[in-house]
Structure formats: structure tokens, C-alpha cells
Amino acid sequence: MIYLVHEYRRLPAGIDAVAYNPGFVPGTGLARNAGPVSRFAMRRIMPMMALTPFATSRGAAGRYLADVVLGAIQAPTGSYVDRGRADRSSRESYDPRREGELWEAAERFTAAYAAKADTFSGDVTSDAPR
């Protein structure tokens, strides 16, 4: 999604979309399907990482996300927010050819769903009294 974030500028006015990276957030069940040693480390040891700049606590990640949603962090459509600030995403994410290809692929992948939704909404309104 980070490679697609800049293409969100194509969305209609009033629809805002940003990419949000909370950083490494231990204690969220990320390793729930890992082996027992990894699960133990993620549950018992890695939460201490949130006391360092290398990880984000669950509470801080939630506050950062709320700040983006509520506008406390300025992030216009197409922005990449890393923890608590709008920032530049990776150099690769600015490749216009890749961005365009991803947008076109997303449109292809969702076209059937969109057509069904249009058909469904048309069926509902076609029987409605005028």
C-alpha cells in the first residue's frame, strides 16, 4: 500500500487516504502463529523495546493513528505517516510507472466487486416507489 499511497490523489474530493506506519508495535499478536520461542519473545521480551526508539507502544501507536484521523498530524491525501509525523516514504514508492501499474491492478481486482455493488444498488432502487 505504501507503493500505492501517492496514487490516492486520484480519489474524488472529500475522500482522504494516507498510509500509516506505527513502527514495530510489540504485544499486538503479530507473532501469534510463530513457533513457541518467537511467541514467548514477542509476548515477554519485545514489549520492553517500546521503551526505546526502535519500537512503539500500543498506546502510542493508537494515539498517533487518532492524531492522523483527527487532523492533529497534517497529512493530506497521498501522505505517508511514520509514527507521529508525515514523512517521505521509500524512494521506490515514488516510481510513477509502478504507482500507475498498482492503481490499474487495484481497479482490475475490484472491478467485479464494484459491478456487483452497482447491480445490487440498482436492484434495490429500481423497485423503490418514486
Side-chain angles (χ1 to χ4, degrees), residues 32 45 49 51 93 124:
R32 66 184 162 275
I45 298 167
M49 291 285 294
L51 301 173
S93 71
V124 170

Side-chain angles (χ1 to χ4, degrees), residues 1-6 8-9 16-25 56 60-90 93-94:
M1 293 314 300
I2 292 171
Y3 289 146
L4 187 58
V5 70
H6 308 110
Y8 290 147
R9 294 182 198 111
D16 294 320
V18 300
Y20 169 64
N21 174 23
F24 173 59
V25 185
T56 308
R63 283 189 304 278
Y64 293 147
L65 180 57
D67 286 346
V68 172
V69 171
L70 297 173
I73 295 174
Q74 295 298 310
T77 290
S79 294
Y80 170 73
V81 177
D82 186 16
R83 299 181 190 189
R85 63 186 170 84
D87 201 357
R88 289 186 56 81
S89 52
S90 68
S93 71
Y94 290 92

Side-chain angles (χ1 to χ4, degrees), residues 35-118:
V37 172
S38 294
R39 284 195 317 267
F40 174 81
M42 287 296 282
R43 225 180 10 250
R44 304 288 183 218
I45 298 167
M46 296 309 262
M48 290 183 279
M49 291 285 294
L51 301 173
T52 73
F54 302 108
T56 308
S57 71
R58 290 183 293 179
R63 283 189 304 278
Y64 293 147
L65 180 57
D67 286 346
V68 172
V69 171
L70 297 173
I73 295 174
Q74 295 298 310
T77 290
S79 294
Y80 170 73
V81 177
D82 186 16
R83 299 181 190 189
R85 63 186 170 84
D87 201 357
R88 289 186 56 81
S89 52
S90 68
R91 184 175 48 86
E92 295 85 4
S93 71
Y94 290 92
D95 179 344
R97 182 189 53 76
R98 180 184 295 186
E99 291 171 352
E101 288 174 359
L102 286 169
W103 185 269
E104 290 168 13
E107 285 183 328
R108 280 194 317 275
F109 297 149
T110 59
Y113 174 78
K116 286 180 185 178
D118 287 344

